[in-house]
Amino acid sequence: MHPRDWIEVRPQGVYCKAGDFYIDPMAPVNRAVVTHGHADHARAGHGHVWATEATLAIMRARYGETHYLMTENPMAYGETLEIGGVKVSLHPAGHILGSAQARLEHAGASIVFSGDYKRRADPTCVPFEPVPCDVFVTEATFALPVFRHPPLEDEIARLLTSIEQFPERCHLVGVYALGKCQRIICALRAAGYGETIHLHGAMQKLCELYESFGIGLGLLELVTPENARRLAGKIVLCPPSALQDRWSRKLPDVLTAAASGWMRIRARARQKGVELPLVVSDHADWDELTRTLVDVGAPEVWVTHGRDDALVYYAQQHGFKAQALHLLGYEDDSE
């Protein structure tokens, strides 16, 4: 039986009729399989939740110990269980800590929901794994040829060069608190940066969670009223929303940077007042998206959100049967 006969899109999100559960539902439901901990995929209030242990830990950190109403069910990568008669397994997505693709098998057919993913090396999470299936469901956040992410090491080198050139300025870097923050810290450490990295308060709990999973981040310190004026020549990480707010004004001579795939668009950087745009993304770029279609090898592709028209067109031109699901509610800016 083809997945189109037992998968449907509802207002709450993608629903598996055969197993009576949702994938990354956008509203509270009775049974949810969650691919990763970003707020637009993992929401509080579900009855029963299935996810990796790390994703469940992230949900507890963000929503509290009672983010679920009935049960939370940790799953290891590759483990298979049945939910309502549908075989479900989770596989690495390479997006952030604990991120997973969800493979569903029912009535002789299989479908893989990739969630968000990337193909680049990232020491903070398990690498993406192509999973054979009949239908591959992919995101398309950066599905245009203009989006080709440079090596992370090159962007980190630009940041460190700027610090050498402007030691009198505090380098304030806007990064998403979950995943991007910890990946940037690890990349700075790999580049030999051993100085204390200062954090906005929104980063602290998630950095501690990453370290509890064995991901060392080195010396970190919160920005406080007492130390804020002494951070010239230092790196401070904050949520993108804090780059221009009152909190940032207490830092000395701020040089504003931002780490995002959207920084490829220079006009967007200028609009946000970013002096040092760093093209760093936890999503697949155009080359990774198109390569993944080949690597997975599914004859049929469904596209959830993002630049779905471009990826659907590419897939059809290269022999895949493809369609867009036009899902709403997944935030491109969160990356």
Side-chain angles (χ1 to χ4, degrees):
M1 184 184 298
H2 193 278
R4 78 171 72 89
D5 297 320
W6 44 278
I7 296 290
E8 65 182 36
V9 176
R10 293 185 172 185
Q12 299 94 328
V14 174
Y15 177 63
C16 175
K17 289 190 292 185
D20 187 24
F21 61 87
Y22 288 82
I23 307 290
D24 290 349
M26 289 170 274
V29 299
N30 182 39
R31 299 201 284 190
V33 174
V34 176
T35 62
H36 65 283
H38 280 147
D40 53 340
H41 291 258
R43 309 203 179 198
H46 305 311
H48 306 270
V49 181
W50 288 263
T52 64
E53 179 57 55
T55 293
L56 292 172
I58 290 168
M59 295 177 74
R60 289 194 293 272
R62 302 191 110 178
Y63 304 128
E65 294 291 331
T66 56
H67 69 87
Y68 60 96
L69 303 179
M70 301 293 287
T71 65
E72 59 173 8
N73 305 277
M75 293 178 65
Y77 289 129
E79 175 187 4
T80 300
L81 54 75
E82 289 200 4
I83 305 176
V86 175
K87 292 182 179 178
V88 180
S89 57
L90 300 180
H91 305 267
H95 179 53
I96 63 169
L97 176 68
S99 61
Q101 306 170 79
R103 181 182 185 276
L104 280 53
E105 182 179 343
H106 175 68
S110 61
I111 182 170
V112 169
F113 293 85
S114 59
D116 293 332
Y117 65 95
K118 70 174 179 293
R119 307 294 299 270
R120 311 290 178 98
D122 180 348
T124 70
C125 59
V126 181
F128 177 91
E129 174 184 295
V131 181
C133 53
D134 298 305
V135 178
F136 181 61
V137 185
T138 178
E139 58 146 323
T141 302
F142 291 112
L144 288 174
V146 68
F147 292 114
R148 288 186 160 95
H149 307 324
L152 175 59
E153 295 78 8
D154 293 356
E155 301 304 277
I156 293 299
R158 293 176 58 230
L159 173 59
L160 295 177
T161 297
S162 180
I163 293 170
E164 290 179 2
Q165 291 176 333
F166 305 106
E168 75 285 3
R169 303 190 68 182
C170 172
H171 282 61
L172 182 61
V173 186
V175 296
Y176 195 59
L178 173 57
K180 186 74 65 64
C181 169
Q182 296 77 24
R183 186 180 174 213
I184 289 286
I185 293 172
C186 287
L188 284 165
R189 300 311 186 200
Y193 187 78
E195 299 273 335
T196 298
I197 296 173
H198 291 79
L199 302 176
H200 185 283
M203 313 297 198
Q204 183 180 24
K205 185 182 291 186
L206 290 169
C207 285
E208 291 174 352
L209 185 147
Y210 267 64
E211 291 194 304
S212 75
F213 277 84
I215 299 167
L217 301 177
L219 294 172
L220 305 176
E221 188 174 321
L222 282 182
V223 175
T224 67
E226 291 73 30
N227 66 21
R229 292 294 174 191
R230 302 194 299 270
L231 298 182
K234 304 297 183 183
I235 295 175
V236 177
L237 303 183
C238 70
S241 59
L243 282 175
Q244 308 288 351
D245 70 4
R246 291 180 58 188
W247 174 86
S248 66
R249 293 175 197 156
K250 58 190 173 185
L251 300 169
D253 194 9
V254 169
L255 189 153
T256 304
S260 167
W262 298 113
M263 291 298 102
R264 172 64 73 189
I265 308 300
R266 298 296 170 171
R268 190 157 179 157
R270 287 195 296 271
Q271 289 170 355
K272 293 181 176 294
V274 174
E275 294 179 76
L276 181 63
L278 304 171
V279 185
V280 181
S281 177
D282 285 334
H283 290 258
D285 69 4
W286 174 253
D287 291 331
E288 294 172 74
L289 288 167
T290 54
R291 177 163 63 92
T292 299
L293 300 187
V294 176
D295 289 349
V296 172
E300 186 166 343
V301 176
W302 296 354
V303 183
T304 54
H305 63 286
R307 279 59 192 169
D308 48 15
D309 51 349
L311 192 57
V312 166
Y313 179 77
Y314 174 92
Q316 292 172 340
Q317 292 300 304
H318 289 76
F320 299 94
K321 186 175 181 180
Q323 68 176 81
L325 298 183
H326 302 301
L327 296 185
L328 300 177
Y330 297 106
E331 302 295 335
D332 292 349
D333 284 342
S334 68
E335 85 87 30

